[in-house]
Amino acid sequence: MGVGARSERDGEFDEFFDSLFPRAEALALRIVGNRGAAEDVAAEALTRAYVRWPRLRGLSYRDGWVLRVASNLAIDAIRRRPASASLTEATSTEDLSTLRVALAVALHSLPDRQRAVIALRYLSDLSEAEVASALGMAVGTVKSHTHRGLANLRGRLGDVEEVTLAVHRV
């Protein structure tokens, strides 16, 4: 690849990065609850996109791919964090931290497809059509996985909508 082609590729990716980094960071922040960790997760997700950029750049679901990678990395990060980490938060955010950890653990317990659908649909605010495109499935399949995933989360967490709203307030 010549210098001109590399420069064009990098310029195209720079635009993609600038438009998607804030979304990936916001998604990760909702899961991990820490701005520094969220920035690391978003940067890692976009680094993985850069490595795959020749294949990703022409795909209609490249945004969803990055957001899915970011949600998976964030869930992994919170799972590796010691349980006591959320207890060091200020009292006013203690409940939110507890909810965030419980949500991450519950999300991790879901089957892969349900977890991806729930994370993209509710934590990244994608429409059903956008989730379907990102994951390469039909909208009806997204609806099925959403229904099953939410039912599973309700069994573990109670009122999922209340938990999701609490996490979004951060």
Side-chain angles (χ1 to χ4, degrees):
M1 177 185 315
V3 174
R6 185 175 302 126
S7 177
E8 182 180 319
R9 170 190 168 186
D10 290 348
E12 186 181 14
F13 184 80
D14 287 347
E15 285 182 35
F16 176 72
F17 181 94
D18 291 343
S19 70
L20 200 58
F21 185 85
R23 290 174 62 197
E25 180 185 23
L27 169 63
L29 182 59
R30 289 179 185 144
I31 296 171
V32 299
N34 175 290
R35 177 129 350 247
E39 288 174 359
D40 290 346
V41 165
E44 176 64 23
L46 283 153
T47 299
R48 291 181 184 193
Y50 182 75
V51 169
R52 292 165 181 80
W53 188 244
R55 291 183 307 217
L56 278 178
R57 76 172 170 210
L59 298 177
S60 62
Y61 56 86
R62 66 185 185 190
D63 291 11
W65 185 91
V66 170
L67 294 172
R68 180 179 180 191
V69 169
S71 68
N72 288 342
L73 290 170
I75 290 167
D76 287 347
I78 201 162
R79 194 183 71 212
R80 287 190 306 266
R81 185 166 54 183
S84 62
S86 66
L87 298 178
T88 63
E89 303 275 339
T91 305
S92 63
T93 61
E94 185 174 306
D95 291 339
L96 288 177
S97 296
T98 302
L99 283 174
R100 190 176 294 111
V101 170
L103 179 60
V105 169
L107 280 170
H108 186 70
S109 72
L110 294 175
D112 290 344
R113 290 290 187 153
Q114 288 178 19
R115 179 175 58 238
V117 167
I118 296 296
L120 292 175
R121 182 81 177 97
Y122 291 99
L123 298 177
S124 194
D125 295 325
L126 296 183
S127 69
E128 290 173 340
E130 291 170 323
V131 173
S133 175
L135 298 177
M137 60 177 62
V139 173
T141 305
V142 169
K143 290 178 182 182
S144 280
H145 284 304
T146 300
H147 177 75
R148 287 187 211 130
L150 288 176
N152 192 333
L153 290 175
R154 278 187 195 100
R156 294 175 184 278
L157 299 172
D159 187 0
V160 174
E161 286 77 17
E162 183 179 313
V163 171
T164 304
L165 288 173
V167 170
H168 277 261
R169 278 181 270 180
V170 174

